[in-house]
Amino acid sequence: PLHGTRPDHYRQMLASFQAVFPHATLWYFRSSALAIGAREPLRVDYAQLAARLEASPAVLAHLAEEGLGSVPALLGGFLLDPEGLRAAAGDAPIVTDDRPTLEFFGAGESVTRAFSTSMHRLLERRGDPTALLAGGEPETRTYFAQRIARAAAGTGHAIRGYALEYEGKYVEAAEAYRLAVEANPEDRVARTLQKENVARLNKMGIAPPKAPGGKDPKKPQVKLESLLADLRHADAQRRMDALVSLGQR
């Protein structure tokens, strides 16, 4: 969790983690950042990941509760590639057994300042999740990349809005949430944050900002055709991979 962790201490954590896992990446889900260690560059086969989620309904159900019930939603949480993580860590000293510096310090600053400072700095170095895609035909990768890019854009705006709310900038946060929902109407988490923000503004007697043109955004309807198209693309890719595998035997 980023709450209450001093930015300089957080950089030490990143530097120490990457010292062991040089190809580490950083991901964001809700108010927490998750570092994934890897000794080789991380690559994601969209069709394979979709098939694994489909084969694990219990896992998918838990992810869906957090607004992560799809591959685009998962990959949309991508924050830093190895280069970005290295830049974010900077020259922070590595924590070791004989120099366990983090054990001797508390938070040292308010939760508000720690979270917003860290998040703004991480967003400045955010990487491109579509660069992680591997496998499949170029046309299929392009289709999935477009969906992931929309999810990532929405997540970026939502993170910024969340950080702004921690700073008490509720009107600016409302605009960030509006952009998040506009970028990815299927993002349930962004919609929840937007709804909570509007309720807070109304309670403060402040009118929530409207979308360009003076109209409030309507709740989008997720089209069944788009979901079926996703499944067709993933299924077609799985069939193609199977045929290639048979041909190589």
Side-chain angles (χ1 to χ4, degrees):
L2 295 169
H3 304 295
T5 303
R6 280 173 34 176
D8 58 325
H9 288 171
Y10 196 72
R11 291 193 299 111
Q12 284 184 254
M13 295 178 193
L14 296 180
S16 302
F17 192 78
Q18 195 168 42
V20 180
F21 301 104
H23 295 284
T25 53
L26 192 69
W27 303 70
Y28 176 88
F29 301 109
R30 286 289 181 137
S31 59
S32 298
L34 173 68
I36 297 180
R39 298 185 186 278
E40 298 179 354
L42 178 65
R43 293 292 180 267
V44 178
D45 186 311
Y46 191 112
Q48 186 180 72
L49 181 55
R52 288 184 176 181
L53 287 176
E54 186 180 357
S56 306
V59 173
L60 186 59
H62 284 302
L63 290 173
E65 290 177 1
E66 298 296 326
L68 301 171
S70 69
V71 177
L74 281 171
L75 298 186
F78 181 71
L79 270 181
L80 301 180
D81 56 23
E83 291 72 23
L85 196 151
R86 192 171 296 110
D91 58 356
I94 295 174
V95 181
T96 60
D97 289 339
D98 59 339
R99 291 181 181 276
T101 53
L102 297 182
E103 295 184 17
F104 299 97
F105 296 92
E109 62 182 302
S110 70
V111 171
T112 299
R113 182 180 175 187
F115 179 79
S116 61
T117 300
S118 294
M119 286 316 308
H120 286 308
R121 287 179 178 175
L122 293 177
L123 284 175
E124 290 175 358
R125 298 177 172 84
R126 194 178 187 200
D128 178 12
T130 64
L132 302 177
L133 291 178
E137 297 297 318
E139 182 179 352
T140 303
R141 283 202 304 272
T142 299
Y143 171 80
F144 290 140
Q146 291 173 345
R147 292 212 62 199
I148 294 169
R150 288 199 299 271
T155 299
H157 290 304
I159 293 174
R160 181 172 173 272
Y162 202 42
L164 287 169
E165 282 206 280
Y166 264 79
E167 299 170 26
K169 300 177 180 178
Y170 301 114
V171 175
E172 292 91 334
E175 175 62 12
Y177 291 143
R178 185 190 68 76
L179 292 173
V181 173
E182 183 179 279
N184 183 23
E186 298 176 24
D187 190 336
R188 290 168 47 199
V189 173
R191 286 201 157 273
T192 298
L193 292 172
Q194 183 186 45
K195 182 178 180 180
E196 293 173 349
N197 172 264
V198 169
R200 185 175 291 108
L201 288 176
N202 286 333
K203 189 174 181 180
M204 296 169 63
I206 301 174
K210 294 181 178 293
K215 296 182 179 179
D216 291 314
K218 295 181 179 179
K219 184 176 181 179
Q221 299 296 322
V222 178
K223 294 184 178 180
L224 178 61
E225 291 79 2
S226 66
L227 300 178
L228 292 175
D230 252 12
L231 292 174
R232 284 197 296 270
H233 274 79
D235 185 59
Q237 188 58 57
R238 288 197 296 270
R239 291 172 182 271
M240 180 64 71
D241 291 342
L243 290 173
V244 171
S245 178
L246 287 173
Q248 292 175 344
R249 293 179 183 176

